Amino acid sequence: MRLQQPDPWTVSAARLRDVKLETPGVQTYWIELTGQEDRQNYHARPGQFNMLFMPGIGEAAISLSHLPTPDGCLVHTVRSVGNVTRALAATNPGGTLGVRGPFGSHWPIEQAHDKDIILVAGGIGLAPMRPLIDQIILSRQMFGRVSLLIGARTPADLLYTDDYDQWRAFEIEVQSTVDRAAADWSGNVGVVTLLINRLGIQSPRRTVVFSCGPEVMMTYAIRTVRERGVPRENLWVSLERNMNCAIGLCGHCQLGPHFICKEGPVLRYDQVKDWMHVDSL
């Protein structure tokens, strides 16, 4: 497991293999490292991120959205919101870019062995969680009940809807809700905490919660599961900050005493609760 390169400043050459439009403004990219040694030495864990470098533009921290493919492609789902991500969106298959990574902490799936799992994802927060789902599927017999609760602004913003039935085939309960329904939407409407309320947590002390999405969503999701008896030490969140260097040098991603790019993005809730403003939980 390579949590950090021997020289983390080294940029590996890569090319864009394929692109898929997921939702308006969000695309998934399959990126291939062009160097054979780079491909052989690259090992990432679910929850980690890469720095994607667009020549002449800059770089951005983007979480992996799938386990590396059998042919070695790195998969990233990206919303176009800045100069780097817009340049990536304008790149056609065959175009070149650079990759640094992988960096950061990973989802501690070993903490959930023989336990029930609740995955709570909001918006594009499902992207960093999908490699965790991949890993759960690979060893599904090691876990109890697995529930995936997904929230989005509108039905058009729901990611990976084509994967829901496949996940359900591995006994993963998938529920989704939206803030604003469309005319043809017959699913849930409301915040994701409503799904938690309806879930029914059977063994709170043997339940592990992994959450990724807007911090306000994670805050209220944590409040809800805490009210139902899930211990703080069983709660994990993936945080997003302005990660410019990926090695804790520039300080842009500092949250309290933590550098998210180095100690995160995945952190145990009780490590960051004082900076997520839920001190009463």
Side-chain angles (χ1 to χ4, degrees), residues 4 122 134 188:
Q4 184 171 307
D134 294 339
N188 296 299

Side-chain angles (χ1 to χ4, degrees), residues 22 25 57 88 148 243:
E22 299 285 357
I57 306 295
L88 180 61
L148 171 60
M243 296 184 282

